Structures are given as C-alpha cells and as structure tokens.
Amino acid sequence: TQLLEQSPQFLSIQEGENLTVYCNSSSVFSSLQWYRQEPGEGPVLLVTVVTGGEVKKLKRLTFQFGDARKDSSLHITAAQPGDTGLYLCAGEFYSGGSNYKLTFGKGTLLTVNP
Amino acid sequence: KAGVTQTPRYLIKTRGQQVTLSCSPISGHRSVSWYQQTPGQGLQFLFEYFSETQRNKGNFPGRFSGRQFSNSRSEMNVSTLELGDSALYLCASSLSSGQGVWNTEAFFGQGTRLTVV
C-alpha cells in the first residue's frame, strides 16, 4: 500500500510569513501532484512534478520533488490570506498492465491571518 | 471547456435510505473516480471507472457501488445509509488514456455534501 504522510496537519500563520509543508512516503512515485482545496469546493491541481530533484515555481509557491521520488515539499513565500486552504499531495504509481493509480495524503490545512 | 459537474450539491437523507449521486466528467476524459472526504479520514478512494468498467476499488463496503455510462457519465449509489456516511463525495475525471504522467491528473467537481440524519 502506497501511503503519503503530510506534515504539518494544521498550520496557522500571519500574512507575509514563509512556510513549508511536506509530503513523505517510503514508496517511489512516477509523479507527484499538489492540489489546493478551498472550503466548499473540490481540489484544484496546482502542479505535477515528475523528475527526481525537480523544482517548479508557481508565483510565490515552490514545489520540489525529492531525488529518490519518495517525497516532496511545497514552500510558500510571503503568504497571503488568499493562500488559505487545504493542500493535498497525491502520488501516482504504476499498478500493473497499463494502469496507474493516484493516492492522496490527508492534507495540510493552512490558515493565513491578515 | 466545461469542468466536472456533480449533482446534487447538497443532500439530506434518513438512515436506511439509499442515494444516487451523479457526475459528468470533462469532455474526452474516460476515467471517473469517486472519493469520500471527511475531516477525520481525509480523501478516501472509493472506486474508479474507465470505459464503463470498474478498474480500481477502494476499501469500502458493498453498500457503495457505481457505474459508468457509454458517454463517460458516472453515478454512485449508497444503499442502507448510515450516519457515518455523512461526508463530501467528490468525483474526479482524468484523461487516463494509457501509461505515463498527465494521465492521472485529476479534475474534481465541487462535490455533493451528503448528510445522513
């Protein structure tokens, strides 16, 4: 079973602060996806990282895939109240034949206070 | 391009009843997955349908079932509802046309909030 552990589970910070959330596993993934979910809505895909060591930037968000493709991190610079939401990581893994599966972590609930 | 549409958005049912939820995927997406989301358990995978066949299944009791139609639209059914079935049910569609990345990237609907009383 491919499990993804996210930490911290909850994070409450002030506007302007920096933060990092982590997504760890003992399994290797073919790709790692990050989603953000706002209250009352479904998760929205932010980014997909594919190559070990890959770094992708999306404005103030920086995503990194671990060299061994077992872990990932999301760093937010100068957080804003609009960044508030549940951040979910999801690992894609090969499950046989032409079948790939996606497994989700439980998420990090981020609150950015003005 | 239209996103994933789930109906209804909200539902209140009584214990013991059954419920059917509907999901219309993004045009061209052949895979539809269903998830249950609760504060304590997070996002839990129910099942995935691809080309009208159930391709993957999570660890939920047989009361939870689904199907997919030839136009890729999907329905999920829960029979004999229990209080613990109260949750946000999310549907996600993906291209899933074969091997490789960008095939499992999930596009979620807004969900159906089910309350069992």
Side-chain angles (χ1 to χ4, degrees):
Chain A
T1 305
Q2 280 75 2
L3 291 175
L4 278 167
E5 300 281 343
Q6 287 191 246
S7 62
Q9 194 175 351
F10 302 97
L11 191 54
S12 181
I13 61 172
Q14 295 300 122
E15 183 176 0
E17 292 183 1
N18 301 332
L19 66 115
T20 303
V21 299
Y22 300 93
C23 177
N24 295 298
S25 177
S26 58
S27 304
V28 176
F29 295 101
S30 55
S31 76
L32 202 294
Q33 302 161 17
W34 283 92
Y35 295 79
R36 179 171 66 208
Q37 184 178 20
E38 298 183 12
E41 303 291 328
V44 174
L45 179 68
L46 295 173
V47 78
T48 300
V49 285
V50 178
T51 308
E54 181 177 5
V55 176
K56 278 193 175 178
K57 293 193 175 185
L58 189 66
K59 295 183 182 178
R60 294 174 293 98
L61 278 60
T62 302
F63 304 85
Q64 184 161 8
F65 202 10
D67 291 341
R69 291 186 289 136
K70 293 183 179 181
D71 55 83
S72 181
S73 64
L74 158 59
H75 181 80
I76 301 179
T77 303
Q80 298 177 0
D83 296 326
T84 293
L86 179 67
Y87 288 82
L88 295 158
C89 66
E92 177 194 79
F93 62 95
Y94 178 62
S95 61
S98 61
N99 196 5
Y100 280 75
K101 287 185 180 179
L102 204 58
T103 185
F104 281 85
K106 289 196 173 183
T108 292
L109 186 60
L110 171 66
T111 303
V112 182
N113 303 298
Chain B
K1 154 161 106 167
V4 177
T5 304
Q6 287 189 248
T7 56
R9 286 293 309 276
Y10 303 95
L11 209 47
I12 300 175
K13 288 287 188 178
T14 303
R15 202 167 37 177
Q17 287 187 311
Q18 75 163 14
V19 67
T20 298
L21 312 181
S22 180
C23 173
S24 293
I26 290 173
S27 178
H29 285 193
R30 295 164 67 189
S31 167
V32 174
S33 296
W34 288 90
Y35 295 86
Q36 181 194 68
Q37 187 176 38
T38 57
Q41 297 298 318
L43 207 61
Q44 292 189 283
F45 174 73
L46 281 154
F47 29 66
E48 180 207 5
Y49 285 86
F50 180 81
S51 292
E52 301 179 66
T53 301
Q54 189 180 85
R55 184 161 71 170
N56 292 300
K57 190 177 187 308
N59 297 320
F60 277 80
R63 301 185 296 108
F64 292 82
S65 63
R67 58 178 176 168
Q68 186 180 33
F69 302 95
S70 57
N71 61 359
S72 291
R73 190 177 72 83
S74 177
E75 286 182 348
M76 190 192 97
N77 184 275
V78 187
S79 62
T80 320
L81 284 165
E82 300 176 0
L83 295 179
D85 296 333
S86 294
L88 180 67
Y89 289 88
L90 290 161
C91 159
S93 75
S94 60
L95 262 175
S96 197
S97 59
Q99 286 184 320
V101 298
W102 297 296
N103 287 309
T104 60
E105 288 179 338
F107 294 83
F108 286 86
Q110 290 182 299
T112 294
R113 171 74 61 185
L114 172 65
T115 303
V116 182
V117 297

